[in-house]
Amino acid sequence: MSREAPVRTYLAAQAAADLDTVLQCFTEDGKVSSPVYGGVPVADFYRRLFADTAHASVAIHTLFTAERKIAAHFAYHWEMKSGARTTTDLVDIFDFAPGSDRITHLQIIFDTAKIGKA
């Protein structure tokens, strides 16, 4: 089972602020852990992120795969509604449900000094 497709779908949907598609990539009890918003249920995380976002874009550098995990290294350009802008490299670590291509947990890793709090 290839899990790269749902990761690519997720990253495109996240950049487009497409909540429905993002949520389809996760299990119903999916969680996200972020240095900016903490650990929260996936729907709560993306509602808050998209409410703070004016525009975003993603440029994937590479995907690293393991049995039930994928790590995505990518450039992220984030323009917040407050007017703040940042471009940084991130690593997202995706955990998948056994036998599934749906994400159970997403750990977001980046240099918080470049972004700060939303």
Side-chain angles (χ1 to χ4, degrees), residues 30-47:
K31 302 269 190 273
V32 177
S33 298
S34 161
V36 175
Y37 299 110
V40 294
V42 65
D44 295 344
F45 176 85
Y46 286 100
R47 283 187 190 103

Side-chain angles (χ1 to χ4, degrees), residues 3-4 8 16 18 23 26-27 33 38-39 54 56 67 75 77-78 83-85 92 95 99 109 111 114 118:
R3 292 184 169 130
E4 286 189 16
R8 290 179 186 280
D18 180 347
L23 294 178
F26 286 81
T27 58
S33 298
E67 186 176 332
H77 176 74
W78 188 26
R85 296 177 181 195
D92 282 358
D95 293 307
I109 302 167
D111 181 0
K114 287 188 170 190

Side-chain angles (χ1 to χ4, degrees), residues 13-24:
Q14 186 265 339
D18 180 347
L19 182 61
D20 290 337
T21 300
V22 165
L23 294 178
Q24 290 171 10

Side-chain angles (χ1 to χ4, degrees), residues 14-15 53 55-59 74-80 84-88 90:
Q14 186 265 339
T53 301
H55 175 74
S57 63
V58 169
F74 59 96
Y76 182 61
H77 176 74
W78 188 26
E79 295 178 26
M80 293 173 263
R85 296 177 181 195
T86 191
T87 299
T88 191
L90 284 87

